[in-house]
Amino acid sequence: MDETPILIDRQGDVAWLRLNIAQRLNPLAQPLQQAMREQLAVLREDRSVRALVITGQGKAFCVGADLGSMQTPSGQSLGQQTADVMESLSNPLIEDIQSLPFPVVSAVNGPCAGAGVGLALAADLVVAAQSAYFYWPFMPRLGIVPDLGSTWFLLRSVGRARAVGLSLLGERLSAQQAQDWGLIWRCVEDTQLTQLAQTLAVRLAQLPAHAAQEIRRSFDHAESATLSEQLSYEASRQRELIDRPEFAEGVRAFLEKRDPKFAPR
């Protein structure tokens, strides 16, 4: 691979991670996935980073699996090899994103297909350019199920009927429709995407240091909890969080009629 598979740069306390196999529309090649995991580990330990934006270089966000590089190894089926890579590399990548100690924005700048959709939806907020679309070709084109979390994210975002329809029919979902269906936060004109992503990331960077992890855990818990169980969970979190300095700062800011200023992580 001639390109550096990802690019990292900083805009203040916001980091940008760009998929950088642009000539092939940013497929999830193994070197790219490995580079992402390595860089996410670095960002996780960098306490000056308070938010992350993931996007693609060139015309696409990510077109999914690098099908052209898939070869059957001797002594192992292609299915077994693929599952091994998913369990050792691809799935941990999604979990890496979901467990980052700061908020993550996906800025979908163009086509987002296959496993690339799972990558995009792993972020806390997803924004997309008007020309972008989301596409799940797994079953209608390849006879396999959506992966990298797509079935999990889709079901919880758009409901079973739409999740099953998108997976079986393989219809492209426009960015506008994705916004209307609640799959993404917002879609904007192509020229506005970068600014929107940066603006949102800057806002997210001002949140309490524990904001992303607490909100993720709260809604994950709510997915399988009864109302009584969730009420109890909320009370248990308030028991701890109200005693933290962030709450005290928030109360002071309210009384002083100013915005709160939370300490970095």
Side-chain angles (χ1 to χ4, degrees):
M1 182 180 297
D2 295 330
E3 308 101 324
T4 300
I6 63 170
L7 299 174
I8 297 286
D9 64 79
R10 291 284 294 275
Q11 297 186 30
D13 48 15
V14 175
W16 281 70
L17 187 158
R18 292 177 168 86
L19 281 61
N20 188 43
I21 313 179
Q23 291 184 346
R24 295 197 287 132
L25 305 181
N26 300 322
L28 279 176
Q30 289 187 42
L32 182 147
Q33 295 183 59
Q34 187 60 50
M36 283 192 71
R37 293 206 68 200
E38 292 170 359
Q39 284 298 321
L40 291 176
V42 172
L43 294 174
R44 179 188 296 273
E45 298 304 317
D46 185 345
R47 300 184 75 86
S48 70
V49 176
R50 298 187 66 173
L52 170 67
V53 180
I54 299 175
T55 193
Q57 284 286 93
K59 298 179 180 179
F61 177 79
C62 176
V63 293
D66 189 12
L67 296 177
S69 69
M70 296 177 70
Q71 298 178 355
T72 304
S74 58
Q76 190 180 36
S77 73
L78 184 58
Q80 184 61 57
Q81 179 199 41
T82 302
D84 289 348
V85 171
M86 289 178 67
E87 291 175 353
S88 64
L89 179 60
S90 307
N91 294 348
L93 171 60
I94 300 301
E95 293 174 333
D96 287 347
I97 295 170
Q98 282 272 293
S99 65
L100 286 169
F102 42 75
V104 183
V105 177
S106 283
V108 180
N109 56 299
C112 182
V117 182
L119 178 67
L121 297 183
D124 300 300
L125 289 181
V126 183
V127 293
Q130 192 79 41
S131 65
Y133 62 82
F134 300 85
Y135 176 46
W136 294 264
F138 297 91
M139 188 55 67
R141 295 289 184 178
L142 299 168
I144 60 177
V145 298
D147 57 20
L148 265 67
S150 277
T151 55
W152 198 93
F153 295 123
L154 265 181
L155 182 64
R156 286 157 177 77
S157 298
V158 302
R160 183 181 177 89
R162 286 170 170 165
V164 170
L166 288 167
S167 300
L168 287 176
L169 298 174
E171 294 183 356
R172 293 182 179 181
L173 187 68
S174 70
Q176 183 62 58
Q177 192 70 60
Q179 174 184 284
D180 294 344
W181 282 9
L183 183 68
I184 67 173
W185 177 248
R186 190 175 171 192
C187 110
V188 293
E189 294 294 333
D190 291 29
T191 56
Q192 299 174 1
L193 180 66
T194 298
Q195 184 58 55
L196 173 63
Q198 177 67 15
T199 298
L200 288 173
V202 168
R203 289 178 59 188
L204 293 170
Q206 304 311 307
L207 294 173
H210 58 275
Q213 291 181 323
E214 286 290 341
I215 292 300
R216 291 174 195 143
R217 290 168 185 163
S218 294
F219 284 102
D220 286 347
H221 189 275
E223 291 288 349
S224 59
T226 65
L227 176 58
S228 293
E229 290 168 342
Q230 191 65 14
L231 289 169
S232 178
Y233 176 86
E234 291 167 355
S236 72
R237 297 313 304 135
Q238 306 301 46
R239 181 181 300 113
E240 177 179 332
L241 296 174
I242 285 175
D243 289 337
R244 289 181 58 127
E246 290 86 355
F247 182 77
E249 163 60 11
V251 171
R252 284 194 301 268
F254 174 77
L255 296 175
E256 296 169 6
K257 297 182 171 56
R258 61 173 174 81
D259 291 333
K261 295 181 179 180
F262 299 114
R265 64 189 181 95

